[in-house]
Amino acid sequence: MKVGIIGCGGIANGKHMPSLKQVEGVEMVAFCDTIPERAEQAKRDFGSKNASVYTDYRELLKDSEIEVVHVCTPNISHAEITIASLYADKHVMCEKPMAKTAEEARAMIEARDATGKKLTIGYQNRFRKDSSFLHAICAEERLGEIYYAKAKAIRRRAVPTWGVFLDEEAQGGGPLIDIGTHALDLTLWMMQNYKPKYVVGNSYHKLSQTKNAANAWGAWDPEKFTVEDSAFGFITMENGATIVLESSWALNSLDVGEAKTTLCGTLGGADMEDGLRINGEEHGLTYTKHVDLETGGVDFYDGAGETAELLEAKAWIDAVRNDKEPVVKPEEALVVTEILEAIYKSSQTGEPVFFK
């Protein structure tokens, strides 16, 4: 299966290309980046012997032998490139978030429907062992009705200072759209609840203007920090369930953790605060179970040494090759984008945002 990579920056090098290289029967035959040196380096590191290099994605899409395209560009171009790729008769894996805006995300689904090609979004945290195990429990309704949940994506001081992460125009937001999106996707997927009623949200620029700040990747430039440093949302679903979404790149908190969910149901609960814990009551007593995640035997897990990123790539290629529905459905990713957009809007207006 011949694959083209559009965008050869951090996420392509850190996730997509290393994973695809390990999938049997996959060949990366084309690389595109606006910086030609990055595309050339990607070809050397991951490409087939005669792989092509481009600076314009439209030229890459003219290659009729390419069956699959991975879109690994800044958020602002996700929709444009994905839609063009679908109409060029390619199946598309688009890195999260689905798009900068919900309107763009809906246009991507329309293009998927019009072309009959497959589309998925890069939410690899679904393929972690703890996530897939917990999803199986939820699917069996062992937690009962999940009516309260928390989606957690909190960093104390880990602001990405490279690329366009701090550019609101290019990205559409900061930690909420970058890492909050993973936590929300996990939570909605566990609950199997994609019907929000209204959202109340706040975003903050409290620490972004700190000069010479402590940071995992070195001090950020306050003048370039145009996105929020933290954002929080209170989401009420149509069935009355509540989700609290927490996200930050910089926050004075020791309660940190990324892509985690806490679930509270009528029969039991679960969280990812100390490994994977399941809680409940039996015979008048409460219990807490710590799940041993090193023994295998959960969805998508084929053996030791396979990362979530690799399992994501394998499942995606399998869906294309065998005409299966992708694990991450674009309709689900759209709801994530709609909720994130509503949190930003609520923060700007000071009012709740209702869904039709």
Side-chain angles (χ1 to χ4, degrees):
M1 184 169 290
K2 296 186 182 341
V3 178
I5 306 294
I6 300 177
C8 300
I11 196 64
N13 281 278
K15 182 179 88 164
H16 291 262
M17 296 188 295
S19 299
L20 286 169
K21 193 173 183 177
Q22 298 179 68
V23 180
E24 185 177 356
V26 168
E27 188 178 21
M28 285 173 274
V29 299
F31 302 87
C32 178
D33 198 281
T34 54
I35 301 173
E37 292 80 10
R38 290 204 302 209
E40 291 283 359
Q41 187 62 52
K43 173 185 174 179
R44 288 192 292 270
D45 293 342
F46 302 103
S48 60
K49 183 178 179 180
N50 297 316
S52 302
V53 170
Y54 304 91
T55 55
D56 186 336
Y57 75 86
R58 299 170 188 85
E59 295 301 314
L60 180 150
L61 295 180
K62 291 178 181 178
D63 186 342
S64 61
E65 289 192 347
I66 295 174
E67 302 166 74
V68 174
V69 163
H70 281 227
V71 178
C72 308
T73 60
N75 300 345
I76 193 172
S77 60
H78 280 188
E80 173 191 329
I81 297 174
T82 294
I83 291 169
S85 300
L86 290 167
Y87 277 105
D89 202 33
K90 320 297 185 191
H91 303 287
V92 179
M93 156 75 81
C94 179
E95 179 53 29
K96 64 78 193 167
M98 187 171 183
K100 183 180 172 182
T101 69
E103 182 180 7
E104 291 176 342
R106 285 189 281 271
M108 292 163 70
I109 292 177
E110 290 174 3
R112 187 275 316 265
D113 293 343
T115 61
K117 309 307 290 185
K118 295 191 184 298
L119 170 63
T120 194
I121 310 301
Y123 284 115
Q124 75 275 1
N125 286 290
R126 292 194 186 190
F127 295 86
R128 295 184 339 227
K129 287 183 282 185
D130 57 345
S131 301
S132 53
F133 186 94
L134 181 54
H135 184 259
I137 286 177
C138 292
E140 294 168 358
E141 300 184 349
R142 287 166 60 182
L143 301 184
E145 177 194 353
I146 301 170
Y147 58 91
Y148 175 73
K150 184 166 70 172
K152 181 178 180 180
I154 297 290
R155 296 178 183 172
R156 182 183 181 186
R157 289 293 189 284
V159 177
T161 54
W162 63 91
V164 295
F165 277 105
L166 304 183
D167 185 339
E168 196 279 335
E169 176 61 26
Q171 290 293 89
L176 181 64
I177 202 169
D178 177 42
I179 57 176
T181 188
H182 278 300
L184 181 57
D185 174 70
L186 272 184
T187 302
L188 296 175
W189 187 53
M190 299 299 176
M191 297 173 74
Q192 279 301 295
N193 188 344
Y194 290 93
K195 295 183 177 180
K197 182 177 182 181
Y198 68 88
V199 165
V200 177
N202 286 294
S203 62
Y204 295 97
H205 299 260
K206 297 294 187 181
L207 305 182
S208 60
Q209 300 308 298
T210 305
K211 296 181 179 179
N212 301 314
N215 189 48
W217 294 290
W220 57 81
D221 183 347
E223 293 186 5
K224 295 180 179 179
F225 205 142
T226 61
V227 297
E228 81 279 0
D229 50 48
S230 59
F232 309 91
F234 185 92
I235 306 150
T236 297
M237 310 301 283
E238 286 186 1
N239 70 345
T242 298
I243 301 172
V244 174
L245 172 56
E246 306 173 320
S247 67
S248 76
W249 283 339
L251 189 70
N252 289 320
S253 173
L254 300 178
D255 184 18
V256 298
E258 284 188 48
K260 292 187 176 183
T261 187
T262 296
L263 308 172
C264 303
T266 53
L267 299 180
D271 67 58
M272 297 172 169
E273 293 302 313
D274 180 19
L276 177 58
R277 304 184 298 189
I278 313 297
N279 69 79
E281 66 169 311
E282 288 181 353
H283 307 298
L285 297 173
T286 59
Y287 67 81
T288 304
K289 296 180 180 179
H290 289 257
V291 180
D292 183 358
L293 297 168
E294 300 306 315
T295 56
V298 296
D299 292 348
F300 316 122
Y301 185 64
D302 296 331
E306 296 204 317
T307 64
E309 293 79 8
L310 175 56
L311 293 171
E312 176 189 55
K314 282 187 170 183
W316 162 236
I317 295 300
D318 180 59
V320 173
R321 185 174 280 146
N322 295 302
D323 194 22
K324 298 178 181 178
E325 189 171 40
V327 173
V328 180
K329 304 173 184 63
E331 291 83 359
E332 297 168 346
L334 167 62
V335 176
V336 174
T337 294
E338 288 175 332
I339 291 173
L340 298 180
E341 186 175 81
I343 291 173
Y344 283 126
K345 183 177 181 181
S346 176
S347 179
Q348 292 166 358
T349 63
E351 300 290 339
V353 173
F354 286 84
F355 293 80
K356 296 180 180 180

